[in-house]
Amino acid sequence: MIVVMITGGIGSGKSTLRRMLCEKGAVSIDLDAIARTLMDSEPAMVAALADEFGPQILDEEGCVIRSELARAAFASEAATRAMNAITFPYIMEEATEYILNVHCTPRTNAPVLVVEVPLLTEAPQLAELADEVIAVEVPPLVRLARCVERGMDPQDAANRIARQPGDADRAALATAICNNTGTEADLQAWVDAWWDAKVGS
């Protein structure tokens, strides 16, 4: 099994690339989904986030209001670093356990395991578990337009883009670069070529 990690900024098309690889026959895990699950199931992480960003990020039942957390955590570079410092250890532990767990991965005959890692530059040690790291590159203004098009608040999207590492940082960890400024058909063609080269038809 080939372990592939996909990284890229918000609005770059990481999830679309992951979906296309799964349609080819890969299986996948999504660290954003892991993070969302942990916010519902890991009291220590939730408590640490509330201590850092204030009780207003929690609803009446003590669950994280993700929009409120995002507003606070992406307000400044220091706040973003604080959020990552709290959440990353939990997320990385879950992801590493999944990738390395001998009882889990061998249960599938899929030739590729895809892991979507938005902020791989923040956890470069995770890249050591990958056979291939694909960095999805798209100019910030195009990413902003895509985020707004799918319903995000423009200022929220701009703040997130500004707080994330740049393409050069992600490329430094990558073994393959996917330029996704074109159409979905262009991305599909890239996926088909990658799959043929790495997995075979």
Side-chain angles (χ1 to χ4, degrees):
M1 173 178 279
I2 302 171
V3 177
V4 177
M5 295 189 184
I6 300 174
T7 190
I10 188 172
S12 62
K14 301 181 301 300
S15 297
T16 303
L17 175 57
R18 177 168 60 91
R19 172 178 58 77
M20 289 179 174
L21 286 170
C22 289
E23 288 170 353
K24 300 286 286 186
V27 292
S28 74
I29 56 175
D30 179 357
L31 295 197
D32 278 346
I34 289 175
R36 289 192 292 270
T37 299
L38 286 169
M39 286 182 189
D40 294 331
S41 63
E42 184 50 65
M45 190 180 83
V46 172
L49 288 169
D51 286 344
E52 178 68 34
F53 297 107
Q56 72 277 4
I57 70 164
L58 303 180
D59 63 18
E60 293 179 355
E61 297 180 351
C63 298
V64 174
I65 305 170
R66 294 184 181 90
S67 60
E68 291 296 327
L69 175 61
R71 186 174 293 110
F74 293 107
S76 69
E77 187 173 346
T80 303
R81 282 199 305 268
M83 178 186 68
N84 290 342
I86 293 168
T87 60
F88 269 27
Y90 294 97
I91 296 169
M92 293 306 106
E93 181 179 359
E94 288 285 323
T96 301
E97 182 178 347
Y98 185 95
I99 294 167
L100 296 179
N101 191 326
V102 294
H103 299 297
C104 182
T105 304
R107 289 182 179 175
T108 174
N109 292 322
V112 176
L113 170 64
V114 183
V115 188
E116 188 174 332
V117 193
L119 296 181
L120 188 58
T121 55
E122 301 288 340
Q125 69 276 13
L126 196 61
E128 297 174 6
L129 302 176
D131 300 300
E132 178 92 309
V133 175
I134 301 173
V136 186
E137 294 190 349
V138 178
L141 287 178
V142 177
R143 289 162 48 205
L144 177 60
R146 289 177 179 175
C147 290
V148 173
E149 185 177 319
R150 68 191 193 198
M152 283 189 69
D153 175 78
Q155 190 57 57
D156 181 26
N159 287 343
R160 293 187 188 219
I161 289 170
R163 304 300 172 216
Q164 290 183 346
D167 283 343
D169 300 308
R170 288 183 282 264
L173 292 173
T175 56
I177 303 295
C178 175
N179 185 307
N180 190 29
T181 55
T183 64
E184 192 161 312
D186 294 330
L187 180 59
Q188 184 66 65
W190 189 95
V191 168
D192 291 343
W194 182 91
W195 191 274
D196 289 345
K198 299 292 183 178
V199 183
S201 56

